[in-house]
Amino acid sequence: IFSFFSCSFKKDIHTISNDKYWTNDLNEIELVMSYIMNDAKEYRSMIKMSDNEKSIFLDNYFHKLDPDTTTIQNEALQELNNRAIECKTLFSEFDLGLSSDRAKIYIVYGPPVEEYKSNINNMNLITWKYQIMGNIKEFNFISDNFGSYKLID
């Protein structure tokens, strides 16, 4: 007799109750914050906070990034929200959504200035080109044949 079972490991669901962010799922917000926060120590500190403390931390973090505090809207946060929503749409069908390498680059740098597609050894290659502070930067992603693209180089 054979028995089959499946098990899944999921993080506990933690939510935030406000309409500032593209989601109310704090796990998803933490993932995106891991891409944009430059200070690893500050990030590790944030993920250990209670849900309420995280909410306050996020409000303060994005208030500091607001390019124009004279407006009601936080333009930096709105840009992040737009990029996160776009990533969920663009990279969720076969790739890993916000967890994908392409989403990480897209969240940080936005849409590429140029995109090239090619084929190397029967594997799809996508190259994204950016102009960052006057310099050209390229990111290369190669397909794993299951629809996910991994950052290479």
Side-chain angles (χ1 to χ4, degrees):
I1 297 174
F2 296 98
S3 72
F4 296 94
F5 65 95
S6 67
C7 43
S8 64
F9 300 95
K10 268 189 145 176
K11 282 182 97 173
D12 292 334
I13 304 280
H14 294 274
T15 60
I16 190 170
S17 59
N18 70 49
D19 58 355
K20 294 177 188 172
Y21 307 100
W22 71 95
T23 184
N24 64 352
D25 180 348
L26 274 171
N27 295 324
E28 193 173 293
I29 293 171
E30 284 178 14
L31 174 66
V32 170
M33 294 301 289
S34 74
Y35 301 157
I36 66 170
M37 289 182 75
N38 294 325
D39 184 341
K41 185 177 177 182
E42 185 179 35
Y43 174 75
R44 285 192 303 274
S45 174
M46 182 205 63
I47 61 174
K48 293 176 184 175
M49 294 176 184
S50 71
D51 293 354
N52 188 50
E53 289 170 330
K54 279 181 197 165
S55 179
I56 294 166
F57 173 86
L58 291 167
D59 287 347
N60 290 332
Y61 182 88
F62 286 108
H63 180 73
K64 292 176 196 170
L65 294 179
D66 189 355
D68 186 356
T69 56
T70 63
T71 62
I72 295 173
Q73 181 122 358
N74 182 329
E75 295 81 7
L77 178 56
Q78 187 57 49
E79 180 65 23
L80 177 67
N81 286 339
N82 292 341
R83 289 181 186 181
I85 291 166
E86 290 169 9
C87 285
K88 290 173 79 167
T89 301
L90 293 170
F91 311 125
S92 290
E93 190 170 328
F94 293 105
D95 215 336
L96 302 170
L98 285 173
S99 298
S100 71
D101 288 348
R102 291 189 295 170
K104 182 176 184 175
I105 299 302
Y106 197 98
I107 291 287
V108 173
Y109 298 105
V113 174
E114 294 180 49
E115 179 178 320
Y116 307 97
K117 295 182 180 182
S118 57
N119 199 300
I120 297 178
N121 298 329
N122 293 325
M123 298 181 84
N124 294 326
L125 177 74
I126 296 175
T127 301
W128 286 356
K129 187 176 180 180
Y130 290 88
Q131 192 160 6
I132 303 168
M133 294 200 245
N135 297 314
I136 302 296
K137 175 75 175 163
E138 289 187 349
F139 296 96
N140 296 296
F141 306 92
I142 194 154
S143 173
D144 66 2
N145 292 326
F146 296 104
S148 290
Y149 284 84
K150 302 295 177 202
L151 183 63
I152 58 173
D153 287 344

